[in-house]
Amino acid sequence: MSNVYNVAVVVGSLRKASINRKVALALAELAPANLKLNIVEIGELPLYNEDIDGDSPPAAYSTFRQKVGSSDALLFVTPEYNRSVPAPLKNAIDVGSRPYGKSVWSGKPGAVISVSPGAIGGFGANQHLRQSFVFLNVPCMQQPEAYLGGAGTAFDDAGKLNESVKPFLQSFINAFGEWVAQHKK
Ligand SMILES: Cc1cc2nc3c(=O)[nH]c(=O)nc-3n(C[C@H](O)[C@H](O)[C@H](O)COP(=O)(O)O)c2cc1C
């Protein structure tokens, strides 16, 4: 039997009705058998400040670092805010990257899907995240790139995924399953 990898899923929106969260949950349903997706929450993380970090960091920092650090792979599902990465997500990335030399991101295979009701599918956030991944040593899946635009209609009022979006999400998460397996060899 092949290995099963735990994927820490980070959602860039804190909204209860977030489309990105719905996409993350849909991806968890569609994931191939070698991936187990779990959302790691970021909403309670205090804004990163070195003065409160160090020997006794806030409990929320420690919990977050433990959850991401013990995962095998990373999946980022995010909207775009002002053509870039939403502040809560950037904050989570910063929290996970410290203390210096102990980043919980380093070496874990990752992927990003950006989701927006707008036409260009959060391209700016997606690309800016990839820039951070280079420095954070996160080998990010290059293809397929995933920009889900027009996402206002991706789910019906009952929260069911639109069938027309399903193949796109399925091919993305299948490719990610292969990417993770390749990096874990
Ligand atoms: C502060 C802010 C900035 C935004 N900037 C962008 C943007 O640059 N590009 C875009 O496509 N949508 C932008 N939006 C709209 C979001 O894509 C939209 O609110 C989306 O539903 C957020 O994702 P969510 O449903 O997962 O919360 C912005 C929304 C907010 C609140």
Side-chain angles (χ1 to χ4, degrees):
M1 197 183 127
S2 60
N3 290 324
V4 176
Y5 302 106
N6 287 310
V7 181
V9 181
V10 186
V11 178
S13 168
L14 305 184
R15 252 173 19 103
K16 280 199 194 78
S18 162
I19 307 167
N20 281 269
R21 179 171 288 266
K22 288 179 192 158
V23 167
L25 295 172
L27 289 168
E29 293 277 314
L30 297 170
N34 72 332
L35 298 183
K36 190 168 179 303
L37 273 57
N38 286 304
I39 294 177
V40 179
E41 300 296 342
I42 64 172
E44 301 300 320
L45 294 173
L47 284 180
Y48 189 74
N49 178 348
E50 281 192 293
D51 291 346
I52 61 168
D53 204 1
D55 290 341
S56 54
Y61 284 10
S62 302
T63 303
F64 180 75
R65 287 167 177 157
Q66 192 280 327
K67 286 183 177 169
V68 175
S70 62
S71 70
D72 300 302
L74 311 166
L75 177 61
F76 294 82
V77 186
T78 189
E80 172 180 82
Y81 280 5
N82 298 305
R83 293 286 181 262
S84 189
V85 179
L89 175 54
K90 183 58 168 57
N91 184 53
I93 288 171
D94 296 341
V95 169
S97 73
R98 286 297 191 268
Y100 185 78
K102 293 189 178 168
S103 168
V104 294
W105 309 114
S106 187
K108 295 190 196 311
V112 53
I113 175 169
S114 50
V115 178
S116 170
I120 59 175
F123 177 85
N126 194 311
Q127 293 299 314
H128 285 179
L129 259 184
R130 288 169 182 267
Q131 181 174 322
S132 290
F133 292 159
V134 174
F135 181 72
L136 294 168
N137 190 32
V138 170
C140 182
M141 183 170 75
Q142 302 299 299
Q143 294 289 337
E145 295 172 273
Y147 312 100
L148 183 58
T153 55
F155 297 88
D156 67 17
D157 290 345
K160 187 174 176 295
L161 180 65
N162 189 323
E163 286 298 318
S164 68
V165 179
K166 207 170 176 177
F168 173 73
L169 294 183
Q170 188 70 70
S171 61
F172 170 75
I173 201 67
N174 286 352
F176 186 49
E178 289 172 23
W179 179 251
V180 174
Q182 189 181 322
H183 278 267
K184 291 293 176 183
K185 263 185 195 163

